[in-house]
Structure formats: structure tokens, C-alpha cells
Amino acid sequence: KAGVTQTPRYLIKTRGQQVTLSCSPISGHRSVSWYQQTPGQGLQFLFEYFSETQRNKGNFPGRFSGRQFSNSRSEMNVSTLELGDSALYLCASSSGLAGSYEQYFGPGTRLTVT
Amino acid sequence: DAKTTQPPSMDCAEGRAANLPCNHSTISGNEYVYWYRQIHSQGPQYIIHGLKNNETNEMASLIITEDRKSSTLILPHATLRDTAVYYCIVRAYFGNEKLTFGTGTRLTIIP
């Protein structure tokens, strides 16, 4: 069974731009969670989607948004990029709500904002 | 707001057992202990989880104290590929709360 895939793997953007990251969960998994990882803040939860509905949200500004499609694929969008948004963005999938089942992480998208 | 405390770093000789401690003194009755690890530049990898009984799988063993306030992850025969940051997390099994990662323990396996 294929693992979680994320595209693109690397991305360079400039301040003020917006970016969309994509995540394809493991086949059959219905929950997708997004995390931001930076050296200073560690791994921080962004949001979780289950059956196309946002079920949980972390403490990030409204510039960070996401959505999930009927095939469980998910996208996250960051508008008006800031230098501090440079990070590794990780997506994780699980067969049920993330609290109930172990999560499987993708390799991440490394975003650099200049 | 992580609910766990782990030592920031540990070393272990290759071939020996690596024992990683975790304190979770405020754990509640319906919360499980989960362990993940993250090898450099990769996404975190699920290792094991447990409630109150000791658990073992092909990767590791999890020992939870009787009062459930602490646990130990054991890698029985550490290899160089086990060098990673190990995260201990507590959360309810059927909870709706987000997965909260602390700072973890950076385990270095010494050849």
C-alpha cells in the first residue's frame, strides 16, 4: 500500500505570495492532519480534516487554511506569506479521527520564504 | 502545552538496548501513551502505543508504570538507523483533541 504523498517536496516563495500544498493520504484513510515544523517551535498542529469537514484546528492565523476533497486528498493554503512561515509542512493520515488511530506521516514539503 | 516530559538527548551504544523515559504525571484514565520518532528530514513514524499494560511489537517495547505516570520505550538492539528524535505523546483514544508533540528526546546511537 502506498504511503502518504506530499507535493511539492520543496518550494521557494517570496513574502506576500500565497502557496498551496497538496497531500494524498494512504488509500482508505479518511483523516488528514497538517503540521508545521520549525527548529524553534517544533512540531505544531495546524488542522485536521475528516470526511471533508474540519474537525480540529490549531492556533494559527487565518492566513492558514485547508480543505479536503471527496477522495480524502487535502490541500492547505497559506496566503500573504511571511518570512516566519518558512518551515517543513507535514501531512499525516489515519483511518479514523486522529485521536483514535495512529497517524502515518508523509515526507513533508519544505517551504522557504524569502 | 505538551503533557509529557522527556530528556532532551541520550546516547546509546550500537547493539545495546536503548531505554527512553517519559513522564506524564497528569495523564488521565482514558489517555493512551503514544510514541513516534522522526529521523532527520523525514516525517514522524509511529512506533507503538499503550494504555496500562506493557506492549511489544516488531519495533519496540513499551513499559508503563502501574500508576501510569511514566513510561519507557525500549529499543532492544539499537542500530545506527535508530538515531532519531523520539516523541512521547498522551491523548485520549477516542478523543477529538489534536496530537501535541513536545520537544522529544534526541537519541544518538554510537558505533
Side-chain angles (χ1 to χ4, degrees):
Chain A
K1 191 183 274 192
V4 178
T5 57
Q6 293 186 245
T7 56
R9 292 291 312 278
Y10 302 92
L11 203 52
I12 300 175
K13 292 284 189 178
T14 57
R15 276 180 299 177
Q17 287 187 311
Q18 75 160 15
V19 66
T20 298
L21 311 181
S22 180
C23 172
S24 293
I26 291 172
S27 178
H29 283 192
R30 297 168 62 190
S31 167
V32 173
S33 298
W34 288 90
Y35 296 83
Q36 181 196 64
Q37 187 171 34
T38 59
Q41 298 296 320
L43 201 64
Q44 293 189 292
F45 172 80
L46 279 156
F47 27 65
E48 178 189 4
Y49 286 87
F50 183 84
S51 294
E52 302 178 64
T53 302
Q54 189 180 86
R55 296 302 181 102
N56 225 327
K57 191 175 187 303
N59 299 320
F60 278 82
R63 299 184 297 107
F64 292 82
S65 63
R67 60 177 175 168
Q68 187 180 34
F69 302 96
S70 58
N71 62 358
S72 294
R73 191 177 68 84
S74 177
E75 289 180 347
M76 69 161 281
N77 184 276
V78 187
S79 62
T80 319
L81 283 166
E82 301 177 359
L83 294 179
D85 296 332
S86 294
L88 179 67
Y89 289 88
L90 291 158
C91 157
S93 79
S94 58
S95 53
L97 280 172
S100 307
Y101 302 85
E102 54 265 29
Q103 291 186 289
Y104 296 88
F105 284 80
T109 294
R110 185 163 296 281
L111 171 66
T112 302
V113 182
T114 61
Chain B
D1 56 345
K3 303 177 185 177
T4 62
T5 304
Q6 299 176 252
S9 63
M10 290 181 62
D11 293 340
C12 178
E14 187 179 16
R16 305 296 294 267
N19 296 280
L20 293 94
C22 179
N23 287 322
H24 31 80
S25 58
T26 60
I27 192 171
S28 58
N30 65 341
E31 288 183 317
Y32 281 64
V33 180
Y34 286 79
W35 283 85
Y36 285 78
R37 73 179 181 184
Q38 186 172 24
I39 296 169
H40 183 61
S41 297
Q42 297 181 21
Q45 176 190 25
Y46 165 81
I47 301 173
I48 198 167
H49 74 278
L51 181 63
K52 54 183 178 181
N53 298 320
N54 298 338
E55 301 288 343
T56 297
N57 63 19
E58 66 278 3
M59 290 183 66
S61 294
L62 174 60
I63 308 297
I64 303 174
T65 57
E66 192 169 341
D67 63 7
R68 304 210 320 122
K69 293 185 177 183
S70 65
S71 60
T72 301
L73 178 74
I74 301 172
L75 308 178
H77 305 286
T79 70
L80 297 178
R81 287 177 296 179
D82 292 323
T83 293
V85 178
Y86 288 76
Y87 296 98
C88 167
I89 301 152
V90 297
R91 64 172 306 175
Y93 195 65
F94 291 107
N96 200 32
E97 61 190 82
K98 57 186 182 290
L99 205 63
T100 302
F101 287 77
T103 54
T105 296
R106 182 172 297 279
L107 175 67
T108 302
I109 306 302
I110 310 297

